[in-house]
Amino acid sequence: MSSVQPFGLSDDDRRPPSSDLLEVVQRGLGARPKRLPSWLFYDERGSALFERICEQPEYYLTRCEIALMDEHAADIAGALGSDVRLVEYGSGNAHKTRMLLEHLRAPVTYVPVEISPEPLRQSVERLATAFPQLPLQPLCADFSKPLRLPIPPRAPRRTVLYFPGSTIGNFDNRSAAALLRKMRNEMGDAGGILIGADLKKDPALIEAAYNDRAGVTAEFTLNMLARLNREIGSNFELSAFAHRSHYNPMAGRIETHLVSRREQQVKVGRVNVPFRTDEAIQVEYSCKYSLEDFAALTARAGLAVQRVWTDPQRMFSVQYLVRASMSAR
Ligand code: AVI
């Protein structure tokens, strides 16, 4: 029998009630340059579109990370050790997690943390069938906020926070360091962080990943406006905006924008937001790292890279981080 604890209650304001959502959007569109937070992508349709992005031939990130897990899961599980409490940030479809769980020795519990209840429920259901002996303690919460982790069924040797997908890259460097620092607190002295980080490479390959030929990424980006129309009653005309993703080599990141195709006004609550032709709303960063960049980022959070797994082409990396003071021992 699997032991699935009831969902924890989340108190997140990353996904605020719609009255606050209106405020978030009005503030972002009132800024210069205009911007909207990337968490707005992930309504039900946005999450489904993201799954489809992961299947596009140009989107190498998911394929590379799965191949890395496939090849090194036993070694990775060995580095984590036995009797681990595994906490996954943003559990999604938990495909990579399965590969890890298959190799972990005597895991104490698995805690998937996910903001959307339905994907969380589905992934727990699948895992409960695949790992009937494993205690599951799903937590419906925003992983970017401090978490109150459920009490484990027995004392773990260590807590490992699993953060795959290079989602860390969607945070600018300052916020990424703050998030890693928060994770450092949550994992405790003996804990670790297993994290996926996308690597710098030929900019053409990176740009192609965010401009797939089938147009799924464009649909994903524009869906943000459809979501706003539905949830806050704005009147964005989707055909009057275009998706644009380009690689900024100085900043080492993909910058995604929604670009106004013409001069127009959009009603957002009581506010009329004017757009010039070609005016852009910045909606996402996807940072890419050299191994040195990433080591420097982790150092800012009081962490040190203990192990790195990467493919021969150095497309993607999976890294194991521990407290900086622990790595010297
Ligand atoms: C979730 N995150 C790591 C994706 C990325 O690659 O930045 C989101 C995404 N946006 C467009 N394509 C994929």
Side-chain angles (χ1 to χ4, degrees), residues 42 50 53 59 61 165-167 170 210 217 220 284 286:
Y42 299 96
F50 177 61
I53 287 175
Y59 196 74
L61 289 81
S166 201
T167 301
N170 296 135
Y210 293 84
T217 308
F220 170 77
E284 189 180 53
S286 297

Side-chain angles (χ1 to χ4, degrees), residues 8-276:
L9 284 178
S10 80
D11 69 332
D12 63 78
D13 52 16
R14 205 171 160 230
R15 195 170 138 179
S18 50
S19 56
D20 300 351
L21 187 61
L22 176 62
E23 210 181 297
V24 167
V25 174
Q26 285 178 336
R27 202 176 328 123
L29 295 180
R32 294 287 170 275
K34 293 180 169 68
R35 55 177 169 263
L36 289 171
S38 63
W39 53 260
L40 281 172
F41 284 138
Y42 299 96
D43 65 350
E44 204 181 319
R45 176 141 188 275
S47 301
L49 284 167
F50 177 61
E51 299 262 315
R52 275 180 56 205
I53 287 175
C54 294
E55 292 160 7
Q56 298 310 302
E58 297 92 342
Y59 196 74
Y60 61 83
L61 289 81
T62 312
R63 253 192 338 277
C64 286
E65 191 173 25
I66 289 177
L68 276 176
M69 293 306 286
D70 195 30
E71 184 161 352
H72 300 290
D75 191 26
I76 294 172
L80 271 46
S82 68
D83 302 285
V84 156
R85 161 164 69 168
L86 190 69
V87 179
E88 181 167 357
Y89 272 35
S91 61
N93 69 15
H95 183 69
K96 294 156 225 161
T97 321
R98 271 166 181 255
M99 301 167 104
L100 186 59
L101 286 172
E102 266 158 24
H103 289 87
L104 274 184
R105 200 144 57 84
V108 170
T109 177
Y110 171 60
V111 185
V113 182
E114 173 60 60
I115 200 163
S116 322
E118 193 44 34
L120 181 61
R121 199 191 55 74
Q122 284 172 11
S123 85
V124 164
E125 218 172 80
R126 282 194 296 264
L127 279 173
T129 317
F131 302 95
Q133 305 300 332
L134 177 70
L136 303 173
Q137 298 181 295
L139 183 62
C140 191
D142 175 0
F143 64 70
S144 72
K145 298 278 160 7
L147 298 176
R148 246 189 302 145
L149 295 175
I151 296 166
R154 65 186 167 89
R157 186 190 291 257
R158 67 171 51 92
T159 295
V160 173
L161 307 181
Y162 183 36
F163 194 23
S166 201
T167 301
I168 189 73
N170 296 135
F171 295 78
D172 64 40
N173 248 18
R174 196 158 147 222
S175 319
L179 177 59
L180 288 169
R181 220 169 297 123
K182 182 201 83 107
M183 294 172 82
R184 182 180 184 273
N185 290 338
E186 276 161 9
M187 77 197 199
D189 282 349
I193 299 173
L194 185 68
I195 189 164
D198 194 17
L199 299 178
K200 284 181 171 155
K201 60 185 72 61
D202 178 355
L205 284 178
I206 301 179
E207 278 194 346
Y210 293 84
N211 292 283
D212 62 280
R213 284 168 61 115
V216 183
T217 308
E219 214 179 320
F220 170 77
T221 308
L222 283 159
N223 178 59
M224 185 188 279
L225 301 182
R227 175 194 183 163
L228 295 182
N229 286 349
R230 192 181 61 247
E231 292 189 22
I232 60 171
S234 51
N235 67 349
F236 285 99
E237 207 182 296
L238 269 59
S239 60
F241 286 87
H243 154 91
R244 184 181 72 199
S245 277
H246 79 100
Y247 185 66
N248 174 342
M250 291 300 286
R253 66 188 179 209
I254 281 283
E255 297 178 352
T256 299
H257 294 93
L258 278 159
V259 183
S260 176
R261 292 182 189 271
R262 54 174 162 80
E263 196 176 313
Q264 56 181 316
Q265 298 240 346
V266 178
K267 210 163 163 45
V268 181
R270 290 164 184 266
V271 179
N272 275 321
V273 182
F275 285 88
R276 288 174 274 111

